[in-house]
């Protein structure tokens, strides 16, 4: 009989094998289920359409959603707003994802600070909210170019929201990056995202029948496995429905509800109904009224939507603010840019305060919940600081010498095609065009959106916001578009200054560059002052009475535009952006400066108009 002979290495191998077998036998006797994290248990099928109902795993699920955009709310206030959403009886957060903010330069991505999408989604999960993600790439959202990056318009043949190669190549690269962040946050991977929207209201655009299938495939190919939705208003619903994707509707009135749900029934047969956007108010445009919707009307319509067997998302639950230059615009019969405030007459105010809508909806959703709702968080205090009198001044013309070298060009160049920002052009702010003229005469040309001329011919052009909805989004280049003529002769040899007014822009203006304010200032000009705060900072609102039109910066944060044509009369200043001590305040004013900057505890949104 031969001997069994084991070397040291083979003996160790056998020992490990025996250990594995023993471990398996032991674990068979243990409650293996208890070792799986709670948030991974029962997660198999996710949100599904099952007949007329949504099902989350084995249970009927009603979506009580609210929209809030992380990029419109200071990160320090996200938790407060989400807790107020939960306390209102809602169970789902919906948010858009703005491509233009996340990829400001081609291939350069920013998901930091106020753009930290993952932190926002995980915070919602921690608070107990599911998430419906609306990643675009086009989102509308009353944001510049509907959330599409302006550098796409460098291509003169660009056809946005189509399968044009230049557009899909850019979308593919963006989705490669974005979806690598989103995929782990899906329900089936243990996260809170239960559904993902395919584009946004494409039925009302409908330029390319291959486009929506392309976007659907782009999402699925990158690992999106949750329920897919479309979202359309009455103008686009008929052309927005697509195979394999659940159609949802956007509306404001009970009349529209009946018409649109009847259409969905005829197209989708028996499927869950959802109002993806029930508009709780509306946005405002400069020069128009402040739009409001009566709280009793809101409650009636929300009740009717649920009585019709439909899930709902409140757009907006909390609107926030178009900080910086991110606001969009509309251009049907005439161009109208959106105001800085995105208050929207929503369920929470721009500053996160409760409204009559909140209390009525909380009572309504609370009556449906079967369990007591969480307590309402306390409101953040507000204050009215002492008026601030700016004491230093720098005219734009004097500031030019401290700026980066201008672009020299034989002809005018629009903002997007300026050879700056690593070849990505200029997205936001102002652009100054300067040339020499030998005589006076009649000046003509195409200026977008607003220009001012001076004696040595200087034309200051402001991008007041690219159109975010409609058929003309391909035609949203800003600045001087084509030649500018003097007495029908094209002008040549331009010096072009980019005034994007980013934080780095103001770093060039050291203390020694400023002067005391003269009795008659030269405009446009920058005005510098200091806001002194002795205790912990609180939220406040800036009121620029006597000033005409411009932009305010506090501690480097761009609060947005003000304009005396209204309806918005104050700018929201979050206390989270203030310091105990000295706070730098810079105002860029185009035409006329007031003596002081005032502060108030409450916003002034101007004359109001009730929505029909």
């Amino acid at each position: 009989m031969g001997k069994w002979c084991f070397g040291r290495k083979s003996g160790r191998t056998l020992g490990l094998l025996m250990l594995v077998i023993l471990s398996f036998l032991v674990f068979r006797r243990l409650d293996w289920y208890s070792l799986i994290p709670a948030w991974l248990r029962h997660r198999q099928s996710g949100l599904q359409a099952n007949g007329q109902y949504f099902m989350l795993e084995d249970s009927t699920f009603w979506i009580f959603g609210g929209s809030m955009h992380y990029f419109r709310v200071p990160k320090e206030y996200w938790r407060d707003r989400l807790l107020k959403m939960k306390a209102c009886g809602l169970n789902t957060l919906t948010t858009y994802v703005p491509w233009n903010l996340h990829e400001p330069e081609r291939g350069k991505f920013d998901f930091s600070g106020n753009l930290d999408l993952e932190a926002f989604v995980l915070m919602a999960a921690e608070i107990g909210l599911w998430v419906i993600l609306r990643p675009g790439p086009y989102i509308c959202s009353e944001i510049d170019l509907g959330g599409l990056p302006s550098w796409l318009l460098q291509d003169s043949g660009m056809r946005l929201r189509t399968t044009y190669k230049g557009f899909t190549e850019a979308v593919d690269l963006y989705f490669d990056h974005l979806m690598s962040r989103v995929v782990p946050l899906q329900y089936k991977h243990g996260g809170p995202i239960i559904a993902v929207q395919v584009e946004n209201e494409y039925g009302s655009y409908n330029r390319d029948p291959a486009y929506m299938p392309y976007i659907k495939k782009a999402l699925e190919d990158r690992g999106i496995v949750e329920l897919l939705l479309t979202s359309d208003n009455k103008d686009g619903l008929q052309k927005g429905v697509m195979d394999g994707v659940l159609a949802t509707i956007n509306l404001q009135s009970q009349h529209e509800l009946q018409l649109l749900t009847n259409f969905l029934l005829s197209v989708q047969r028996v499927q869950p109904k959802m109002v993806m956007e029930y508009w709780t108010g509306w946005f405002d445009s400069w020069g128009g009224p402040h739009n409001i919707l009566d709280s009793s009307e809101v409650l009636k319509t929300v009740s009717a939507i649920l009585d019709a067997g439909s899930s709902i998302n409140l757009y907006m639950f909390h609107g926030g603010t178009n900080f910086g230059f991110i606001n969009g615009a509309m251009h049907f019969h005439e161009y109208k840019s959106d105001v800085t405030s995105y208050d929207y007459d929503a369920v929470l105010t721009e500053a996160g305060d409760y409204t009559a809508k909140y209390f009525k909806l909380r009572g309504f959703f609370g009556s449906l919940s079967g369990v007591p709702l969480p307590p309402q968080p306390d409101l953040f205090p507000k204050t009215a600081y002492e008026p601030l009198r700016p004491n230093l001044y720098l005219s734009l013309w004097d500031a030019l010498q401290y700026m980066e070298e201008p672009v020299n060009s034989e002809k005018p160049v629009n903002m997007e095609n300026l050879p700056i920002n690593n070849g990505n052009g200029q997205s936001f702010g102002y652009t100054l065009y300067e040339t020499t003229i030998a005589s006076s005469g009649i000046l003509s040309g195409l200026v977008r959106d607003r220009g001012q001329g001076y004696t040595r011919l200087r034309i200051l052009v402001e991008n007041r916001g690219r159109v975010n909805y409609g058929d003309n989004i391909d035609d949203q280049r800003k600045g001087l578009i084509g030649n500018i003529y003097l007495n029908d002769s094209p002008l040549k040899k331009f010096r072009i200054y980019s005034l994007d007014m980013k934080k780095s822009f103001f770093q060039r203006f050291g203390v020694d560059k400023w002067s005391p304010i003269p009795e008659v200032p030269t405009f446009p000009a920058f005005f510098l002052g200091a806001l002194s705060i002795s205790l912990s900072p609180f939220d406040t609102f800036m009121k620029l009475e006597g000033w005409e039109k411009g932009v305010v910066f506090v501690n480097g944060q761009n609060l947005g535009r003000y304009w005396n044509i209204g309806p918005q009369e104050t700018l929201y200043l979050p206390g989270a952006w203030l310091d105990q001590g000295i706070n730098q305040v810079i105002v860029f004013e185009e035409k006329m400066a007031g003596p002081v900057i005032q502060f108030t505890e409450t916003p002034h949104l101007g004359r109001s108009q009730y929505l029909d």
Side-chain angles (χ1 to χ4, degrees):
M1 185 174 178
K3 288 186 177 180
W4 288 94
C5 182
F6 294 100
R8 188 172 294 176
K9 183 176 180 181
S10 59
R12 278 201 300 263
T13 303
L14 181 60
L16 286 170
L17 179 61
M18 294 297 294
L19 183 61
V20 169
I21 293 171
L22 280 170
S23 299
F24 174 74
L25 292 172
V26 170
F27 279 127
R28 283 190 63 188
R29 300 182 63 187
L30 292 176
D31 182 7
W32 181 260
Y33 178 81
S34 67
L35 302 179
I36 302 174
W39 47 266
L40 273 177
R41 297 176 202 159
H42 306 303
R43 294 202 173 197
Q44 297 176 5
S45 51
L47 187 68
Q48 301 175 79
N50 185 355
Q52 63 181 318
Y53 299 112
F54 285 113
M55 303 290 290
L56 190 58
E57 297 301 338
D58 299 326
S59 301
T60 302
F61 183 75
W62 293 89
I63 298 170
F64 299 154
S67 286
M68 168 184 158
H69 303 148
Y70 55 100
F71 50 93
R72 284 185 163 121
V73 180
K75 187 176 183 178
E76 297 86 346
Y77 295 167
W78 289 351
R79 181 175 296 277
D80 171 75
R81 309 311 195 245
L82 292 173
L83 286 170
K84 288 170 179 171
M85 182 180 290
K86 183 73 173 177
C88 193
L90 304 184
N91 59 20
T92 304
L93 163 73
T94 70
T95 187
Y96 282 127
V97 181
W99 181 8
N100 57 348
L101 303 185
H102 285 302
E103 193 178 1
E105 297 180 10
R106 195 181 292 267
K108 181 179 178 182
F109 298 98
D110 184 1
F111 284 81
S112 64
N114 233 68
L115 295 175
D116 193 342
L117 170 64
E118 292 145 294
F120 184 62
V121 170
L122 290 171
M123 186 180 291
E126 178 190 339
I127 286 168
L129 295 166
W130 300 110
V131 176
I132 296 176
L133 198 70
R134 311 175 80 186
Y138 164 84
I139 61 172
C140 184
S141 186
E142 289 73 61
I143 191 173
D144 188 277
L145 202 60
L148 300 176
S150 62
W151 45 257
L152 289 168
L153 298 175
Q154 291 180 324
D155 179 352
S156 62
M158 176 56 65
R159 296 195 298 278
L160 301 172
R161 304 180 74 192
T162 71
T163 52
Y164 174 70
K165 185 178 179 183
F167 184 68
T168 58
E169 286 179 345
V171 171
D172 286 342
L173 290 173
Y174 170 58
F175 270 13
D176 284 346
H177 186 95
L178 175 63
M179 296 310 154
S180 70
R181 296 174 178 271
V182 169
V183 164
L185 301 174
Q186 294 180 102
Y187 175 89
K188 291 171 187 171
H189 293 291
I193 296 176
I194 56 174
V196 176
Q197 186 173 298
V198 183
E199 235 259 358
N200 191 71
E201 295 185 328
Y202 193 73
S204 58
Y205 193 69
N206 195 39
R207 293 287 183 87
D208 182 349
Y211 175 68
M212 287 293 278
Y214 154 72
I215 294 294
K216 177 177 180 286
K217 187 174 187 298
L219 293 169
E220 293 173 334
D221 286 352
R222 289 165 177 81
I224 296 301
V225 294
E226 304 301 339
L227 182 69
L228 295 179
L229 311 167
T230 58
S231 168
D232 284 282
N233 57 30
K234 60 181 175 58
D235 297 325
L237 184 58
Q238 188 168 2
K239 296 178 180 178
V241 177
M242 64 181 301
D243 291 337
V245 180
L246 183 70
T248 68
I249 53 181
N250 304 337
L251 53 81
Q252 191 165 70
S253 72
Q254 294 184 49
H255 173 67
E256 290 175 310
L257 174 66
Q258 188 62 48
L259 290 175
L260 297 182
T261 52
N262 286 344
F263 176 80
L264 282 182
L265 182 62
S266 68
V267 173
Q268 294 192 142
R269 302 303 177 191
V270 179
Q271 292 273 23
K273 292 178 288 188
M274 180 168 182
V275 176
M276 177 58 76
E277 292 184 12
Y278 166 61
W279 302 316
T280 60
W282 201 245
F283 58 91
D284 296 340
S285 300
W286 287 114
H290 171 52
N291 292 304
I292 57 177
L293 185 61
D294 184 76
S295 60
S296 297
E297 186 65 28
V298 168
L299 181 60
K300 288 178 185 176
T301 306
V302 169
S303 179
I305 289 171
L306 268 62
D307 286 346
S310 175
S311 285
I312 190 172
N313 176 60
L314 306 173
Y315 189 99
M316 297 293 295
F317 176 80
H318 175 48
T321 309
N322 290 317
F323 293 117
F325 297 119
I326 69 170
N327 65 273
M330 303 293 279
H331 194 169
F332 292 108
H333 303 297
E334 60 179 316
Y335 174 87
K336 294 181 178 180
S337 58
D338 301 335
V339 302
T340 298
S341 171
Y342 200 61
D343 178 87
Y344 207 86
D345 194 38
V347 182
L348 294 180
T349 68
E350 178 181 15
D353 293 338
Y354 299 119
T355 66
K357 292 175 185 177
Y358 184 93
F359 295 122
K360 289 179 180 179
L361 290 173
R362 174 176 158 85
F364 175 74
F365 286 115
S367 69
L368 303 176
S369 70
V371 295
L373 295 180
Q376 297 168 206
D378 293 336
L379 295 178
F380 288 166
K382 313 289 189 298
T383 193
Y385 294 108
E386 290 297 314
L388 183 158
R389 184 179 297 274
N391 52 7
L392 295 175
Y393 150 93
L394 179 63
S395 78
L396 176 60
W397 314 132
D398 291 336
L400 295 180
Q401 61 187 306
Y402 309 124
M403 296 181 187
E404 291 183 353
E405 281 297 308
V407 172
N408 293 295
S409 175
E410 189 69 11
K411 298 180 179 180
V413 180
N414 57 286
M415 282 188 181
E416 297 79 5
N417 287 93
L418 288 173
I420 59 174
N421 295 323
N422 301 313
N424 291 276
Q426 181 180 345
S427 295
F428 304 114
Y430 296 75
T431 305
L432 177 66
Y433 297 83
E434 181 180 88
T435 190
T436 303
I437 56 175
S439 64
S440 60
I442 298 174
L443 199 65
S444 61
L446 181 54
V447 178
R448 293 204 187 108
D449 291 308
R450 187 168 178 271
Q452 302 177 54
Y454 300 89
T455 47
R456 177 195 304 176
L457 187 61
R458 286 169 165 164
I459 303 175
L460 179 64
V461 183
E462 176 194 11
N463 168 15
R464 281 171 48 200
R466 295 179 183 86
V467 165
N468 57 266
Y469 180 86
D471 294 334
N472 56 348
I473 61 170
D474 287 341
D475 190 29
Q476 291 304 306
R477 294 168 184 86
K478 299 296 184 180
L480 291 184
I481 312 299
N483 283 317
I484 195 91
Y485 297 88
L486 183 66
N487 295 330
D488 298 326
S489 295
L491 296 174
K492 306 287 187 182
K493 300 188 184 305
F494 283 84
R495 291 163 59 84
I496 307 173
Y497 295 85
S498 171
L499 313 179
D500 56 15
M501 300 193 189
K502 299 176 184 176
K503 286 186 179 181
S504 58
F505 177 88
F506 292 102
Q507 291 171 359
R508 305 185 187 99
F509 306 154
V511 177
D512 59 322
K513 309 296 191 299
W514 299 81
S515 304
I517 300 175
E519 190 171 329
V520 183
T522 299
F523 292 96
F526 300 94
F527 294 82
L528 175 63
L531 173 62
S532 179
I533 299 177
S534 57
L535 302 174
S536 296
F538 293 149
D539 286 5
T540 189
F541 296 87
M542 301 181 77
K543 185 174 177 61
L544 290 104
E545 194 168 349
W547 303 70
E548 184 165 321
K549 184 180 185 302
V551 192
V552 177
F553 305 83
V554 177
N555 295 334
Q557 297 278 3
N558 186 337
L559 300 189
R561 306 171 220 260
Y562 64 89
W563 197 354
N564 65 359
I565 65 172
Q568 182 176 352
E569 298 175 4
T570 53
L571 286 175
Y572 175 50
L573 173 52
W577 290 354
L578 293 169
D579 299 321
Q580 186 173 351
I582 300 300
N583 296 268
Q584 182 195 70
V585 178
I586 296 177
V587 179
F588 176 68
E589 168 59 51
E590 295 180 16
K591 288 191 172 182
M592 182 177 68
V596 297
I597 299 168
Q598 299 171 321
F599 298 90
T600 176
E601 294 182 22
T602 55
H604 297 181
L605 296 172
R607 63 190 186 281
S608 298
Q609 168 182 283
Y610 278 93
L611 295 161
D612 294 331

